[in-house]
Amino acid sequence: MALPTLSSEQRRAALDKATAARRERAAVKDNLKHGRSSLLEVLDSDSEAIRKMLVRTLLESLPGIGKVRAQGILTELEISESRRVRGLGKQQRDRLLERFASQR
């Protein structure tokens, strides 16, 4: 399937939107890392940029959790490595919040 041809204005608008989403995700990750936001606040967010974030990336943003530990947590909680925040089921979300109850 061929990609649609975009005008320069449409391309610029798409680039601006993508840049804004990356900045928002970076701010959320920084706030999590430094304790200015809780995991619950992030999971409850209505922002489309945050809802599209991978759960693995979200976990890696928490203090003391790197790539290996995040992968172990996903396996432990039975959450797919490719799962996005918006795709979490109620039980997965509850298990995640229970696992990080001190992060609330």
Side-chain angles (χ1 to χ4, degrees):
M1 183 165 131
L3 295 174
T5 305
L6 300 177
S7 69
S8 59
E9 290 116 19
Q10 290 172 320
R11 184 176 293 113
R12 172 59 39 205
L15 288 171
D16 290 343
K17 183 178 176 183
T19 301
R22 281 193 300 274
R23 283 189 180 138
E24 184 178 355
R25 286 190 295 267
V28 166
K29 291 191 294 186
D30 187 60
N31 287 339
L32 274 173
K33 182 176 184 175
H34 293 98
R36 294 186 292 260
S37 291
S38 70
L39 186 59
L40 178 62
E41 290 171 347
V42 174
L43 291 177
D44 284 344
S45 175
D46 290 334
S47 167
E48 191 61 29
I50 294 170
R51 293 177 50 77
K52 287 183 178 181
M53 185 186 295
L54 290 172
V55 175
R56 177 180 39 101
T57 304
L58 185 67
L59 291 177
E60 290 171 7
S61 302
L62 294 170
I65 297 180
K67 293 179 185 259
V68 173
R69 201 164 190 198
Q71 181 59 46
I73 292 168
L74 289 174
T75 302
E76 170 191 331
L77 299 178
E78 299 176 4
I79 298 173
S80 171
E81 184 178 330
S82 62
R83 179 71 63 206
R84 297 191 183 270
V85 171
R86 74 168 165 229
L88 283 173
K90 179 170 176 15
Q91 291 180 356
Q92 290 174 327
R93 186 179 186 281
D94 290 345
R95 286 193 305 259
L96 190 61
L97 289 172
E98 184 179 315
R99 173 72 163 72
F100 294 99
S102 63
Q103 298 286 329
R104 290 184 182 187

